[in-house]
Amino acid sequence: MKLAKSIFVVLAPTLALAGCSDELGSVEGRDSVRAVGSSTVFPFATAVAESLSRTNPEIPSPIIESTGTGGGMKLFCSGLGPSTPDTANASRRMKASEFEDCQNNGVTDIIELQVGLDGIAFASAQGGIELNLTPQIVYEALAKSPYGGEQNNQTWADVDPSLPDVKILVYGPPTTSGTRDALKELILEVGCNSNPAMAELEESDEDRYDQVCTEVRADGLYVDQGEQDNLIVQKIESNENAVGVFGYSYLEENADKVQGLRMNGVEPTYENIANFDYPGARPLYVYVKKAHIGQIPGLAEYLNEWTTMWERGGPLASIGLVASPEDVMAANLAGVNEQATIDGSDLK
């Protein structure tokens, strides 16, 4: 389900939950919006929160937490009420298993917003190592068990003789990160499938296929750097032979320090991501509890603030967000005005 730009209509006045709401349950109240989730979406959500505070000083500033997409979904789906987050930022779509968890915990009406696009950028320090990567190269360099065999590649030249004879060292996101999920789906799995035998393995043993195609090596050549993408930037800036994996927005924000690496000969640029020419392009999402709109003070206004900032050339573009295509924004307009919820049928 593709969604796009829209304007939220406030259907009811926001009510301070000083005590309880029959719909949300009896819990201590909260007077500001709480958002959790993706470290990639975090700077955009923070900018929206800051803009809301400037335009509506009477509304308490939203609380934005960087917990990773997976961690944010767990918190979001834990139930309804002011003790739980109102929104979850995600650098991938909600999983079917997460949707089921939400449903089981009473979070039954979920609004899905595609707030823009991002790219999984591979980068090195300015003046550092130059690599023309492909999904196959990345997979063979980072997989724990390439095509089911042993991982013996120690240098980039071991993977492809045209690459530098330099030891592989990649700093990237942890397993809780939506960026890691996107790395698996958009790059590693694509690279794995360059071997025709992997299609047969997927048919015969899906669990083994997932392990072979998406499990990352744990011998120190891929370093899990936590949810702080800025720390990855610092690591590669201090080592000319290191490669970092993070959201495109961090590449743009730190263009004076790091350089993007080509994938299939394509540079990770705004235009290439917007056109999906760059292999690592991906949508970014915000999930919203419909039951909290009109109950948590400022939530409707916060969502409306997103819609005023995510267009191409808008405030979020200036900090790295790539606007969704026009047709996606148009499709989203009617749906969000009506606060349309997802039924989970097309989630994976």
Side-chain angles (χ1 to χ4, degrees), residues 41 44-45 48 115 286 302-310 316:
V41 181
F44 307 129
V48 173
V115 297
V286 170
Y302 171 68
L303 298 175
N304 187 66
E305 199 73 15
W306 270 101
T307 71
T308 68
M309 297 179 68
W310 66 27
L316 296 182

Side-chain angles (χ1 to χ4, degrees), residues 96-290:
S97 59
E98 292 166 340
F99 183 81
E100 182 179 1
D101 187 33
C102 270
Q103 301 298 299
N104 291 338
N105 290 323
V107 186
T108 54
D109 294 323
I110 302 168
I111 299 168
E112 179 186 71
L113 295 176
Q114 181 179 311
V115 297
L117 305 174
D118 187 37
I120 306 169
F122 288 74
S124 62
Q126 281 286 351
I129 190 171
E130 293 274 3
L131 299 169
N132 186 7
L133 300 169
T134 66
Q136 182 176 351
I137 287 172
V138 174
Y139 171 72
E140 292 180 6
L142 298 186
K144 182 175 182 179
S145 179
Y147 312 118
E150 291 187 20
Q151 175 55 278
N152 296 317
N153 294 317
Q154 296 296 306
T155 70
W156 291 106
D158 289 340
V159 180
D160 187 317
S162 69
L163 298 177
D165 188 16
V166 172
K167 189 171 183 178
I168 297 165
L169 177 59
V170 177
Y171 292 96
T175 55
T176 55
S177 171
T179 303
R180 178 72 163 264
D181 291 327
L183 172 64
K184 291 178 180 180
E185 295 172 13
L186 299 176
I187 305 296
L188 296 179
E189 195 168 349
V190 172
C192 181
N193 287 334
S194 64
N195 184 328
M198 295 301 99
E200 297 178 11
L201 178 61
E202 185 177 18
E203 288 292 328
S204 62
D205 189 341
E206 189 172 354
D207 289 340
R208 174 61 176 161
Y209 167 83
D210 287 340
Q211 180 183 36
V212 167
C213 287
T214 66
E215 190 170 351
V216 175
R217 66 195 303 171
D219 58 358
L221 301 194
Y222 178 91
V223 182
D224 177 336
Q225 205 56 65
E227 293 288 355
Q228 300 302 317
D229 289 354
N230 278 323
L231 186 55
I232 298 177
V233 172
Q234 294 172 22
K235 289 289 186 179
I236 64 174
E237 187 185 8
S238 64
N239 184 340
E240 65 179 11
N241 289 326
V243 172
V245 184
F246 39 63
Y248 165 75
S249 61
Y250 286 87
L251 173 62
E252 182 170 88
E253 181 182 337
N254 296 280
D256 59 328
K257 303 173 184 176
V258 300
Q259 60 188 9
L261 300 176
R262 289 170 290 167
M263 181 73 66
N264 290 345
V266 179
E267 298 278 355
T269 65
Y270 186 104
E271 291 294 340
N272 290 335
I273 292 168
N275 296 331
F276 288 92
D277 291 335
Y278 182 72
R282 58 175 175 169
L284 301 178
Y285 299 93
V286 170
Y287 290 91
V288 185
K289 292 174 181 173
K290 183 175 180 179

Side-chain angles (χ1 to χ4, degrees), residues 1-6 325-337:
M1 173 177 167
K2 290 186 175 180
L3 297 165
K5 181 179 182 299
S6 52
E326 289 293 332
D327 61 330
V328 176
M329 286 201 241
N332 200 27
L333 181 58
V336 178
N337 276 335

Side-chain angles (χ1 to χ4, degrees), residues 45-80:
T46 299
V48 173
E50 291 171 348
S51 177
L52 177 67
S53 294
R54 289 192 299 270
T55 56
N56 297 272
E58 74 283 1
I59 297 175
S61 181
I63 300 167
I64 315 296
E65 301 173 44
S66 178
T67 64
T69 297
M73 286 297 182
K74 286 183 180 178
L75 292 167
F76 180 80
C77 291
S78 64
L80 293 175

